[in-house]
Amino acid sequence: MKEQTLYYNGDWQKAQSTDYTEVINPTTEETIGKVVNANQKDVDLAVASAKFAFKEWNQTNPDVRADYVEKLLNGIKERKQDLMDIMIKELGTSHVFADSTQVGLAVAEMSATIEEIRNYDFEEDVDNATVIKEGFGVVACITPWNFPLNQIQRKITPALLAGNTVVVKPANLTPFTALLLAEIAHDVGLPKGVFNVITGTGSDTGDYLTGHKDVSVISFTGSTKVGSSLYEKAKTNIKKLVLELGGKSPMIYLKGGDLELAVKNAADTVLHNQGQTCSALTRLFVPKDELERTKEVIKNYYKDIKIGDPAEEDTIVGPLVSEGQMETVLDYIEKGKKEGAEVLVGGNRMDRKGYYVEPTVFVNVTNDMTIAQEEIFGPVLVVITYDSVEEAIELANDSIYGLSGGVVGPEEESVKVARQLRTGNIAINDAERSPKAPFGGYKQSGFGRENGLYGVEDYFEIKAIFR
Ligand code: NAD
């Protein structure tokens, strides 16, 4: 692992800053290593290298750019085990989830975007105009810790394919995945300055990077709180802003559907990755007269979930990413109890080393409770009952967020419900999600879309040349 170095201008660079952050393994509570908190000079140098590289990269044939990005994809595939190992250590994500989703999904989505762009026309004629799609310039990619590879992939793949160069600033809780990605980029020979990684805190390094005069696009994934503050940064020199923010997504179970499937669908999203997933289906809506049956299905499903060392292949639930995140989740659980919700499963910190919280399910929840409105970002599911389908839709939409959703029920009725939900993604009866389809939020879950051509289009400037 490259410790205390930054990656820009095609090489590992000794930082100007001597300040650093220690990275903790949440399973053992031990320090894994240190990363630099890049200072303003470090950021200036990284942005300058990306700015310089942009000129040539933007003029490079799109197929050649796609070849380079494909090399990076192949490098990721080759180093899959190393990537999995590091994110199990720094994030505490389970082996099975690291394999299938943290790396597996990143590879699937990256492949799909590259495939789509190979058949894309970057130029078209409109009367006497040649309309050209090209990059903006330098994209600042600010990413969270919960999917330390794929949140970066979802930005750099489209940004690079569109002709931009990137400076990535990963979250300081999980920076080693990003530094390993830089190692891969270096080994596969991406042109100098096209792909850069700097580490550091959000409040200093991230703040300075997003306000940098030579950054043209801020592509941010993270909390709604920080995301909304970036409008201030973007306005200084009219930067484009792409925001992928928080969520509190609903799963609606309709009578006549498969209740076990609805429970499994919602529960899996709060069990895997310990519920630290923006698109988690954290609110389960069921008809009032199905509540007792739902409780039995939930208890039955949760009893076999293995909680333990995330490195073990049969573990489903590992620790929360940090002590702070654990405290936040425990606070929400206490609020739920105080506001009158009933704990059906779990509800406490686990008596073992590491930042473990029991998978928790609340019933007797009303939609106005804090645990039904705020993003907990932990292994917590709330069950809310409804009297009519119209009420279920209204309650599901009664949220500041609109990222994801699920409906389990008779197909035609489920589609009708899905059409009325104010959210960017909805899976019906656990339908598989195509990696070419767009992902992104309504309302305070952000704007802009990731994946496939929808993702690339966010990173295009459009020029018309008349002749
Ligand atoms: P966060 O907002 O605290 O941090 C995200 C990133 O922003 C980090 O790299 C952080 O260092 C940086 N940052 C923090 N303050 C900054 C500032 N003032 N200026 C510039 N950068 C700053 O979020 P988090 O705790 O890392 O991640 C969890 C959040 O991310 C959750 O709300 C989750 O829903 C959201 N998320 C959304 C998606 C999506 O696709 N919509 C995906 C994953 C996570």
Side-chain angles (χ1 to χ4, degrees):
M1 265 183 314
K2 298 277 179 192
E3 273 195 55
Q4 301 187 63
T5 44
L6 305 172
Y7 185 79
Y8 60 83
N9 205 23
D11 218 339
W12 296 99
Q13 312 284 350
K14 185 171 163 31
Q16 310 285 316
S17 166
T18 51
D19 187 30
Y20 62 85
T21 296
E22 285 191 356
V23 182
I24 310 283
N25 178 333
T27 309
T28 61
E29 303 182 30
E30 284 161 7
T31 302
I32 309 172
K34 292 176 185 175
V35 288
V36 174
N37 293 328
N39 66 17
Q40 296 192 356
K41 182 76 184 148
D42 292 314
V43 176
D44 286 343
L45 289 167
V47 172
S49 82
K51 186 182 176 190
F52 186 79
F54 171 70
K55 271 189 228 155
E56 196 171 327
W57 182 251
N58 191 41
Q59 296 299 324
T60 300
N61 182 306
D63 274 334
V64 175
R65 289 200 300 251
D67 290 343
Y68 276 117
V69 178
E70 190 146 10
K71 281 188 194 176
L72 184 59
L73 167 66
N74 291 334
I76 290 171
K77 287 184 192 163
E78 272 168 33
R79 302 287 300 271
K80 180 172 183 180
Q81 191 58 52
D82 295 337
L83 286 160
M84 285 171 55
D85 289 346
I86 191 60
M87 52 181 88
I88 290 168
K89 258 194 194 159
E90 64 181 2
L91 170 61
T93 200
S94 70
H95 182 282
V96 66
F97 197 69
D99 186 4
S100 66
T101 308
Q102 294 281 8
V103 185
L105 187 65
V107 164
E109 291 182 355
M110 195 168 178
S111 310
T113 308
I114 296 168
E115 192 189 319
E116 291 277 85
I117 209 72
R118 289 212 185 268
N119 303 312
Y120 187 77
D121 286 329
F122 278 70
E123 297 192 11
E124 60 176 341
D125 292 332
V126 178
D127 292 335
N128 69 330
T130 302
V131 177
I132 295 173
K133 294 177 182 160
E134 59 173 343
F136 276 87
V138 179
V139 179
C141 303
I142 310 285
T143 55
W145 42 264
N146 62 337
F147 287 83
L149 174 66
N150 205 25
Q151 297 305 348
I152 297 177
Q153 182 284 127
R154 283 181 173 186
K155 298 185 180 315
I156 62 167
T157 302
L160 294 177
L161 290 172
N164 305 275
T165 55
V166 298
V167 178
V168 177
K169 198 224 64 78
N172 245 3
L173 290 170
T174 58
F176 287 121
T177 304
L179 290 174
L180 180 49
L181 185 62
E183 210 173 295
I184 297 169
H186 186 75
D187 292 347
V188 302
L190 284 196
K192 213 162 111 164
V194 162
F195 173 82
N196 310 279
V197 178
I198 54 172
T199 50
T201 63
S203 51
D204 289 326
T205 313
D207 181 70
Y208 184 66
L209 174 63
T210 50
H212 201 287
K213 67 175 178 26
D214 291 329
V215 164
S216 304
V217 181
I218 304 171
S219 181
F220 174 83
T221 301
S223 62
T224 296
K225 183 164 171 257
V226 175
S228 63
S229 75
L230 295 176
Y231 281 90
E232 280 303 311
K233 298 284 167 183
K235 80 177 190 195
T236 50
N237 55 340
I238 318 295
K239 297 179 206 297
K240 175 153 188 184
L241 197 50
V242 180
L243 297 174
E244 298 291 341
L245 309 176
K248 188 78 187 174
S249 298
M251 156 57 77
I252 300 180
Y253 166 70
L254 300 174
K255 268 186 190 294
D258 179 344
L259 182 60
E260 276 81 9
L261 182 68
V263 166
K264 177 177 167 19
N265 243 217
D268 282 354
T269 65
V270 286
L271 292 169
H272 288 295
N273 222 32
Q274 293 69 263
Q276 300 163 128
T277 300
C278 53
S279 56
L281 306 174
T282 49
R283 294 182 294 151
L284 172 62
F285 292 94
V286 298
K288 202 171 265 168
D289 58 5
E290 300 262 16
L291 179 62
E292 290 312 312
R293 189 159 74 96
T294 306
K295 286 186 189 172
E296 290 315 307
V297 174
I298 290 174
K299 282 196 275 188
N300 198 35
Y301 191 67
Y302 273 66
K303 75 178 181 346
D304 294 329
I305 297 298
K306 180 175 167 193
I307 306 164
D309 181 345
E312 286 171 12
E313 289 189 18
D314 56 347
T315 295
I316 301 294
V317 178
L320 276 296
V321 67
S322 65
E323 190 173 7
Q325 188 62 21
M326 179 185 70
E327 293 302 341
T328 303
V329 171
L330 289 171
D331 279 354
Y332 274 116
I333 291 174
E334 284 316 305
K335 264 188 202 142
K337 291 174 186 168
K338 274 203 192 105
E339 289 181 14
E342 179 195 328
V343 175
L344 179 73
V345 180
N348 298 295
R349 182 178 181 178
M350 292 187 71
D351 185 17
R352 56 175 294 161
K353 199 166 192 57
Y355 309 128
Y356 286 82
V357 173
E358 289 173 341
T360 298
V361 183
F362 280 104
V363 292
N364 284 350
V365 177
T366 54
N367 211 45
D368 56 349
M369 288 182 184
T370 309
I371 53 169
Q373 287 295 324
E374 295 187 13
E375 185 184 44
I376 299 175
F377 231 51
V380 182
L381 177 68
V382 304
V383 181
I384 300 170
T385 57
Y386 66 84
D387 286 318
S388 66
V389 174
E390 291 67 34
E391 188 193 5
I393 296 167
E394 205 168 298
L395 291 171
N397 284 337
D398 177 20
S399 167
I400 60 165
Y401 297 112
L403 189 55
S404 192
V407 185
V408 167
E411 184 157 330
E412 216 171 298
E413 191 185 4
S414 300
V415 174
K416 263 194 200 158
V417 170
R419 285 182 183 278
Q420 296 172 73
L421 294 179
R422 301 297 297 160
T423 174
N425 269 247
I426 301 147
I428 288 170
N429 292 325
D430 196 22
E432 211 176 304
R433 292 161 192 261
S434 162
K436 292 180 183 167
F439 178 85
Y442 280 28
K443 301 190 268 183
Q444 293 187 37
S445 291
F447 62 77
R449 291 292 178 268
E450 296 188 317
N451 291 346
L453 288 179
Y454 295 92
V456 182
E457 279 165 1
D458 273 346
Y459 297 93
F460 279 142
E461 276 284 29
I462 301 176
K463 178 189 287 172
I465 300 175
F466 301 92
R467 55 186 162 176

